[in-house]
Amino acid sequence: MRSILIAGNWKMNAGPVEADKLSAGINEKLAGRTLKSDVVVCPPFVSLHAAVKNLKDSPVQVGAQNVHFENNGAYTGEISTSMLQEAGCKYVILGHSERREYFGDTDEVIAKKVKKAIADGLNVIFCVGEKLEERKQEKHQKVVMGQIKAVIEHLTEEDASQLTIAYEPVWAIGTGETATPEQAQEMHQFIRNYLNEMWSTVQLSGVRILYGGSMKPANAEELLKQEDVDGGLIGGASLDAESFSTIVDIAEKIQS
Ligand code: 13P
């Protein structure tokens, strides 16, 4: 059985001072609890320290929002896998549509980053998703399949145990518009079938597939109840300790 993964992507929000408050708030809600779900928060690099410190006695793990594919050296402005691990990160988000759109993260670059992060022991939340135009033209499955293929053709089946895929339709990110549970389920099932085709032996163990795009307490239950929706990658609603922990509670209820 795949347990649910609830991940908060703080994006470019919450510097060290605010992150200290937010992670302390999340800690207050979740510390001391034994959860069936896996829970992760992904602050900006400069706020990792505050989150790791405040969440060290909680079931919540900490992740980053990007990583470079080289070990170290003359790469001004970049952060390596070993730096993330030294800072206490267990996860990294890669391939987010905002990085694809604004920071030149092509399929090729993303593939290198995913491969490197997995090789160095990080769990990767690898994001895919179509734009509104592509959905209107009914190209969404083709687009998502292309994004997945570009990365997983560089991975081995053993790498799958450190891989989570996040389906985030670009038109649902930060817009308040959510994919319907049926749209999410349809795409998640499509992704799972595709992975099963590519990787015969991971069929039953299963890579988790998260939904992302305006997930919040009000719609989390119907999304998380879908058979192939194994969790959420949450932006806006993860910036509020109450909303985030409510989504975790919903995930717990579904699994009990
Ligand atoms: P929102 O939840 O704010 O729509 O963001 C989703 C997202 O991009 C998470 O990575």
Side-chain angles (χ1 to χ4, degrees), residues 7-11 93 96-98 125 127 166 168-178 211-216 232-239:
N9 176 8
W10 294 3
K11 307 191 180 185
I93 298 170
H96 195 281
S97 59
E98 289 150 16
I125 300 175
C127 306
E168 300 204 309
V170 177
W171 47 272
I173 296 177
T175 57
E177 189 169 341
T178 321
Y211 170 79
S214 300
M215 190 186 269
K216 50 183 182 271
L233 181 55
I234 300 143
S238 74
L239 294 172

Side-chain angles (χ1 to χ4, degrees), residues 125-194:
I125 300 175
F126 162 47
C127 306
V128 296
E130 82 284 0
K131 296 181 180 157
L132 183 58
E133 236 5 77
E134 294 161 339
R135 163 113 355 213
K136 281 187 182 156
Q137 295 166 2
E138 300 197 356
K139 288 186 186 151
H140 47 291
Q141 293 187 338
K142 191 163 168 258
V143 167
V144 167
M145 190 167 90
Q147 291 169 335
I148 294 176
K149 181 168 187 287
V151 166
I152 72 168
E153 66 189 3
H154 298 281
L155 303 179
T156 65
E157 296 197 17
E158 289 76 66
D159 293 335
S161 64
Q162 282 161 259
L163 184 71
T164 296
I165 293 182
Y167 168 57
E168 300 204 309
V170 177
W171 47 272
I173 296 177
T175 57
E177 189 169 341
T178 321
T180 63
E182 294 73 29
Q183 284 172 322
Q185 169 58 26
E186 186 192 40
M187 181 61 92
H188 284 226
Q189 191 175 37
F190 173 78
I191 293 172
R192 191 162 332 272
N193 290 342
Y194 181 62

Side-chain angles (χ1 to χ4, degrees), residues 12-191:
M12 198 171 74
N13 297 293
V17 174
E18 203 181 323
D20 186 50
K21 284 191 210 135
L22 178 53
S23 54
I26 294 169
N27 184 57
E28 206 170 287
K29 302 272 181 201
L30 301 176
R33 286 178 53 184
T34 309
L35 300 177
K36 291 200 169 74
S37 316
D38 291 313
V39 183
V40 188
V41 294
C42 302
F45 291 133
V46 294
S47 303
L48 288 171
H49 178 72
V52 168
K53 173 175 64 78
N54 286 335
L55 294 165
K56 69 178 189 316
D57 298 322
S58 85
V60 182
Q61 295 191 303
V62 177
Q65 301 170 19
N66 187 26
V67 75
H68 193 52
F69 51 75
E70 295 290 350
N71 283 331
N72 61 275
Y75 300 99
T76 302
E78 293 295 331
I79 299 280
S80 70
T81 54
S82 60
M83 291 174 188
L84 291 187
Q85 284 169 318
E86 206 177 315
C89 287
K90 301 278 188 262
Y91 283 80
V92 62
I93 298 170
L94 292 170
H96 195 281
S97 59
E98 289 150 16
R99 294 215 53 91
R100 292 177 190 262
E101 175 81 17
Y102 309 125
F103 304 106
D105 276 11
T106 58
D107 284 337
E108 196 187 358
V109 169
I110 296 161
K112 281 177 160 178
K113 291 180 175 184
V114 171
K115 200 171 158 54
K116 176 68 175 162
I118 289 180
D120 291 351
L122 288 164
N123 296 301
V124 170
I125 300 175
F126 162 47
C127 306
V128 296
E130 82 284 0
K131 296 181 180 157
L132 183 58
E133 236 5 77
E134 294 161 339
R135 163 113 355 213
K136 281 187 182 156
Q137 295 166 2
E138 300 197 356
K139 288 186 186 151
H140 47 291
Q141 293 187 338
K142 191 163 168 258
V143 167
V144 167
M145 190 167 90
Q147 291 169 335
I148 294 176
K149 181 168 187 287
V151 166
I152 72 168
E153 66 189 3
H154 298 281
L155 303 179
T156 65
E157 296 197 17
E158 289 76 66
D159 293 335
S161 64
Q162 282 161 259
L163 184 71
T164 296
I165 293 182
Y167 168 57
E168 300 204 309
V170 177
W171 47 272
I173 296 177
T175 57
E177 189 169 341
T178 321
T180 63
E182 294 73 29
Q183 284 172 322
Q185 169 58 26
E186 186 192 40
M187 181 61 92
H188 284 226
Q189 191 175 37
F190 173 78
I191 293 172

